[in-house]
Amino acid sequence: MSTALCDVVVVGAGAAGLAAGRALIEAGLDIRIVEARTRAGGRAFTDSVVGQPFDAGAAYIHFADRNPWVALAAEFGVTLEKHRGWGGGVAFRDGRRLDAGATAARRAGMAQFWDAMETAREEQPASGASLGDLTAGLSEGARDAALRFGQHAIGEEPERIDLADLIAQWEGPDLVAPGGYGHLVAAAARDLPVSYGVQVTRIDWSGKTVLVETTQGALRARHVVVTVPVGVLRAGGIAFAPALPAATRDALSGMTMGVLSKVALAFDGARFGWPAPSDAYALGTGFNFELFPFGRDLVIATLGGDVARDLMGQGDEAAIAATLDVFASIVGGEARQRFVAGRTAAWMRDPFAEGGYSVVRPGHGGARAALREPVGGRVRFAGEATAEGGSMTVGGATLEGRRAAAEIVEALA
Ligand SMILES: Cc1cc2nc3c(=O)[nH]c(=O)nc-3n(C[C@H](O)[C@H](O)[C@H](O)COP(=O)(O)OP(=O)(O)OC[C@H]3O[C@@H](n4cnc5c(N)ncnc54)[C@H](O)[C@@H]3O)c2cc1C
């Protein structure tokens, strides 16, 4: 690494870092992108199990009507498809498909939950209210719907999710990239000056320029864009000298990381009598299953919150075995005979993620905006955590990377 002064160092080559890098280069600036992993894309990552691809992190191109990845996919020649949604899934409890009465009760609970969300949007919740508070006085079905939404959409338990932040999230149609959202995002790294396998350890912003220390020497820049996940910052993965201002530290302590996780199970072509693709919910276990996406011989389980913390904490082998058990309780014991291999996406055990994505703690509604405030005029944080309505998504992270770049271009003009 050369300590010759450059305009900007971007820390991280995920969606935000790549977007910032590209915008800064288009503005004619001299930049370096430093990435700890040996690949680009961060939490947008298309992994594979026995040669079959699956998105271990982001899979859905949310709020497609304003998501920059729709235009980027067109630019990269990547075809997108409409996501058919999870609404048509089949629900099970204790290995049995819900009967008509239980299905009707479940649907009524879900409707009550969505009505309560709509009312919260119209009326604005009290400061400090959590997703759990929203359904506290409602039916068991509504509370269950909130629990499942918290665990599967946010990766966290409802009482730990700030309601005002949640209802500020953008909505809109979802698209999917059959070849993988991770591959699509990684394609944006082409032609960018990314140094892979280089971990930033310390950022010294005490001088007029910033010294970025890495596992392979130091870099000096006029400005720095830090796009590492909130989990990495909270864990002290990067030291700051001087320490970050109190407002930034408060912002970080107002957020935690959810633990949305996935387990991919590969089978030998067996479909167990299910159409491809299908969705199934194993109520009471914390598992949702996506069966044979894009016609592949894969079943993708998702889980979040404390169930995921517990299971993923037990290690890959145990997590795969437990997932196969729950899946077999739905489709039958044949699943065990036809199982080929499994793979986990345990982001909470990943030192460069430290979790799934950022969750605002109840009562800390200003945390995302506060983290967006530049530090010393030369250190900027950008990524899904700073994205307000687009937070927790690739699209939001990308827009944030562009926002940080635009601020720097203006500052250097
Ligand atoms: C299981 C799961 C499912 C998801 N599903 C969706 C979905 O369907 N749709 C959607 O839009 N979003 C989804 N997301 C969220 C989405 O993946 C993230 O919001 C987005 O990828 C974040 O981008 P980012 O650039 O902010 O952070 P990241 O992608 O995490 O990029 C940060 C980069 O910094 C690097 N880094 C970390 N520490 C250091 C260091 N010390 N030095 C140098 N580099 C470092 C990391 O390796 C990483 O590459 C999902 C996430 C998970 C975990």
Side-chain angles (χ1 to χ4, degrees):
M1 290 277 159
S2 151
T3 46
L5 182 66
C6 67
D7 291 319
V8 188
V9 167
V10 177
V11 185
L18 295 173
R22 182 168 161 162
L24 291 163
I25 283 178
E26 280 172 4
L29 298 182
D30 175 24
I31 72 152
R32 311 278 179 277
I33 304 176
V34 184
E35 168 56 53
R37 301 179 201 270
T38 52
R39 60 165 181 83
R43 287 170 280 165
F45 173 47
T46 307
D47 200 357
S48 68
V49 52
V50 288
Q52 306 217 44
F54 72 99
D55 275 312
Y60 308 112
I61 301 172
H62 293 309
F63 46 81
D65 35 15
R66 57 170 128 177
N67 191 317
W69 286 95
V70 176
L72 287 166
E75 185 185 326
F76 298 158
V78 171
T79 308
L80 303 181
E81 287 178 7
K82 243 173 125 172
H83 177 236
R84 47 190 181 90
W86 281 85
V90 184
F92 289 77
R93 193 176 286 282
D94 299 328
R96 282 207 194 88
R97 201 177 165 141
L98 294 196
D99 61 22
T103 301
R106 179 169 173 268
R107 291 211 176 116
M110 282 165 52
Q112 220 184 358
F113 166 64
W114 286 113
D115 280 351
M117 288 281 278
E118 201 45 53
T119 307
R121 264 188 209 105
E122 282 159 13
E123 293 174 359
Q124 282 305 314
S127 166
S130 72
L131 174 62
D133 295 331
L134 179 76
T135 52
L138 301 182
S139 66
E140 191 186 334
R143 290 200 304 278
D144 194 53
L147 174 68
R148 294 174 49 72
F149 184 78
Q151 290 180 339
H152 289 278
I154 312 298
E156 191 50 277
E157 303 296 316
E159 64 273 15
R160 297 179 210 144
I161 300 168
D162 184 68
L163 183 58
D165 184 69
L166 185 65
I167 60 172
Q169 300 308 306
W170 294 337
E171 294 185 310
D174 286 352
L175 297 178
V176 285
Y181 203 176
H183 282 322
L184 171 58
V185 174
R190 255 184 257 140
D191 305 327
L192 291 181
V194 185
S195 300
Y196 292 103
V198 182
Q199 196 179 331
V200 170
T201 51
R202 187 169 179 270
I203 295 178
D204 181 339
W205 56 284
S206 58
K208 281 211 167 90
T209 58
V210 187
L211 186 71
V212 179
E213 293 176 18
T214 81
T215 44
Q216 292 183 34
L219 292 157
R220 192 168 276 286
R222 292 189 165 84
H223 290 266
V224 175
V225 183
V226 180
T227 72
V228 308
V230 154
V232 172
L233 294 170
R234 282 173 56 95
I238 298 177
F240 288 85
L244 289 170
T248 311
R249 281 185 280 133
D250 286 351
L252 288 172
S253 61
M255 283 185 255
T256 55
M257 291 294 276
V259 289
L260 192 65
S261 312
K262 296 187 189 180
V263 180
L265 305 175
F267 293 94
D268 64 358
R271 292 285 185 263
F272 313 109
W274 286 67
S278 309
D279 300 321
Y281 319 115
L283 303 180
T285 68
F287 283 89
N288 279 357
F289 293 98
E290 196 178 359
L291 287 76
F292 320 118
F294 307 107
R296 293 180 185 131
D297 297 332
L298 287 179
V299 171
I300 313 294
T302 54
L303 63 161
D306 289 345
V307 178
R309 279 190 184 92
D310 178 35
L311 192 78
M312 293 301 176
Q314 294 174 31
D316 290 341
E317 217 175 299
I320 291 165
T323 306
L324 184 57
D325 278 349
V326 179
F327 185 62
S329 78
I330 288 178
V331 302
E334 192 195 353
R336 287 198 188 81
Q337 281 112 51
R338 314 291 298 268
F339 173 68
V340 177
R343 190 155 175 86
T344 64
W347 296 95
M348 68 177 219
R349 287 198 259 113
D350 179 331
F352 304 126
E354 298 281 355
Y357 37 82
S358 62
V359 177
V360 170
R361 292 168 52 209
H364 293 264
R368 298 192 192 281
L371 189 60
R372 252 197 331 263
E373 283 302 309
V375 171
R378 49 199 178 280
V379 178
R380 282 174 177 77
F381 295 95
E384 57 86 8
T386 60
E388 302 279 356
S391 64
M392 309 185 247
T393 70
V394 173
T398 304
L399 294 172
E400 276 301 286
R402 291 179 182 174
R403 184 267 310 160
E407 285 177 8
I408 292 171
V409 171
E410 200 183 317
L412 289 176

